[in-house]
Amino acid sequence: MTLSFSLHTGKQLDGIWHTSIIVHKDEFFYGSGGISSCAPGGTLLGPPDSVVDLGSTEVTEEIFLEYLSSLGESMFRGESYNLFEHNCNTFSNEVAQFLTGRKIPSYITDLPSEVLSTPFGQALRPLLDSIQIQPPGGNTFRRHNGQS
């Protein structure tokens, strides 16, 4: 999801970015419900406003699903979600590096620290820290005994 607006941060923000990874015919994303998947563009957020091609991967679907299962049980549990420090962009960046060795663009990963570096961002932080985001429309990713 992207929005173009200017909060009273003293900076123009080009968007609030929700990111996901599309690989092996599915879209994978992270929110307060943990790791989820859906058909590409299948959340209520709809098709993406922008797509960044990070290349192709040699990682098989089986290895990828095992990797996601491990992430879902460790780093990317739902209760670990934090709007500013451990969010969908953190997840997309981690998975992109695993799949391709490339990071997602820094204008996306740097946005939370840019917002928090302003007086307005600091004033809003307690409220924003309490927000739990889970884009509707996906299925929570679970993998047990070789099944997803």
Side-chain angles (χ1 to χ4, degrees), residues 4 6-7 12 28 30 32 35 40 49-50 63 67 73 80 83 93 106 113-114 120 125 127 130 139 144 147:
S4 183
S6 178
L7 287 174
Q12 174 67 31
F28 296 89
Y30 173 66
S32 61
I35 298 172
D49 293 334
S50 177
I63 290 172
Y67 170 73
E73 294 169 0
S80 299
L83 182 63
N93 198 46
S106 61
S113 63
E114 287 180 33
F120 187 72
R125 183 164 189 163
L127 169 67
S130 70
N139 299 310
H144 299 285
Q147 302 296 316

Side-chain angles (χ1 to χ4, degrees), residues 25 76 80:
K25 301 178 189 166
F76 291 98
S80 299

Side-chain angles (χ1 to χ4, degrees), residues 6-7 34-36 48 51-52 65 81 87 93 103 115 134 144:
S6 178
L7 287 174
I35 298 172
S36 296
V51 174
V52 176
L65 294 176
Y81 181 86
N87 54 39
N93 198 46
K103 295 181 176 186
V115 170
Q134 180 65 24
H144 299 285

Side-chain angles (χ1 to χ4, degrees), residues 32-129:
S32 61
I35 298 172
S36 296
S37 66
C38 62
T43 71
L44 289 181
L45 298 175
D49 293 334
S50 177
V51 174
V52 176
D53 186 345
L54 297 173
S56 61
T57 186
E58 298 294 321
V59 177
T60 67
E61 184 172 13
E62 183 66 24
I63 290 172
F64 176 67
L65 294 176
E66 287 176 19
Y67 170 73
L68 275 188
S69 180
S70 173
L71 287 181
E73 294 169 0
S74 60
M75 293 174 49
F76 291 98
R77 295 181 322 275
E79 62 270 15
S80 299
Y81 181 86
N82 178 281
L83 182 63
F84 288 104
E85 290 149 4
H86 197 72
N87 54 39
C88 62
N89 304 322
T90 310
F91 171 78
S92 294
N93 198 46
E94 181 79 22
V95 174
Q97 289 178 76
F98 174 78
L99 292 170
T100 68
R102 296 180 64 193
K103 295 181 176 186
I104 67 172
S106 61
Y107 67 86
I108 296 171
T109 56
D110 292 348
L111 182 62
S113 63
E114 287 180 33
V115 170
L116 291 177
S117 71
T118 67
F120 187 72
Q122 284 297 307
L124 280 181
R125 183 164 189 163
L127 169 67
L128 296 174
D129 275 344

Side-chain angles (χ1 to χ4, degrees), residues 4-17:
S4 183
F5 66 98
S6 178
L7 287 174
H8 297 285
T9 61
K11 297 180 181 190
Q12 174 67 31
L13 300 177
D14 293 327
I16 297 175
W17 308 105

